[in-house]
Amino acid sequence: MKDIKNLTFEELKTYFILQDEPEYRANEIFRAIYINKVKEFKEITTLPKSLREKLSNEFYIRGFKKVSTLGDTNKTQKFLFELKDKRLIETVLIKENTKKGKFRNTLCVSSQVGCAMGCKFCATGKMGFIRNLSAGEIIEQLLYIEDAEKIQNIVFMGMGEPLANYENVKKAIEIISDPRGRALGRRKIVVSTSGIIDKIYKLTNELKSVRLAVSLHSAFQEKRNFLMPGLKIYKIEDLMQAISYYTQKTGNTVTIEYLLIKDLNDGEEDAKQLIKLLRKIKFVKVNLIHYNPVPFADFESSKKEKLFFGILKRAGINTTIRFSKGSEISAACGQLATKESPINLNNL
Ligand code: SAH
Ligand code: SF4
């Protein structure tokens, strides 16, 4: 059995043509799965019965089993899903109250089971790499949550390095944003990467309006190599060039994510080096992230968050700190690890 969500609209059209079916079946399927949120082919009554049966024998629409939900329904919830091969992934739903009593729901999705980058502060990195998620598995995180809640934004900040699974992430974005289906605007999607340079260029050229966040964590090469060993093949200056290319080509602002760790990357010289680096980039914003300690690392959260923030601000850099009430939650979004890892879900 195959996941029908792995097929783009064009692929689905080709499939139906090969089956001697009219092309518009692809429209019917997209509408059923991504707008009407149908879970089984037998519910798609616009299709002839024989076709419904044929599709049911070949494909499935939903494949997740929910294992658990953690957190407060009005704020942030973590969902643990079991995939067909029994692997586990996490998805985080972040609810924010905006002005005028409206809600803004952001979904933090996983792109891999585990991650190969081995960042020293990250629970997913500790798991090591297990496998890539398929496009269908990335999409299903959204569909599952949207059975209950409408989502306005998607961030690829869950488990895994999205640009190390570029083709499936790209496909998932194409399907989610397809106007004949869910039609989520690409500007509402943020891809957060630890900095896979060649894929930043590819993303810029192929998925233009998607937003980019880059986890830098240090402007010094040596420190970054220490913190993010899987990325040491990349030079920071080359990374900056890729980021510049993205901002110039898309006109979008890039977000630099910077985790503040006590006595490691939170000093004045660290802030100065960061300023020097970012001077060359026109549209840039820094998001300082409160470090949430993980049991396997010997790091502590920095106490100099405000100080660091002040230095960047005075240098004219647009900076925010993720440490208010919602911060444990947002940070938890980057701290995902399932039961397969030694760390458990105790971040909320
Ligand atoms: N692989 C991608 C996306 C997933 S991680 C990336 O690294 O950007 C998403 C974010 O969570 C990253 O910025 C990461 O640095 C952050 N994160 C990881 N571990 C964390 C921790 N212990 N405390 C706070 N944020 C953490
Ligand atoms: Fe992977 Fe991102 Fe965690 Fe680094 S921070 S190990 S790149 S998920």
Side-chain angles (χ1 to χ4, degrees), residues 115 117-119 121-122 124-125 158-161 194:
C115 181
M117 300 304 149
C119 301
F121 46 78
C122 174
T124 309
M159 296 169 73
E161 168 46 53
S194 52

Side-chain angles (χ1 to χ4, degrees), residues 24-25 28-29 31-32 43-49 52:
Y24 65 76
R25 295 281 181 236
E28 291 180 307
I29 295 286
R31 194 174 318 121
E43 296 170 53
I44 316 177
T45 48
T46 54
L47 301 178
K49 195 152 180 274
R52 277 181 259 163

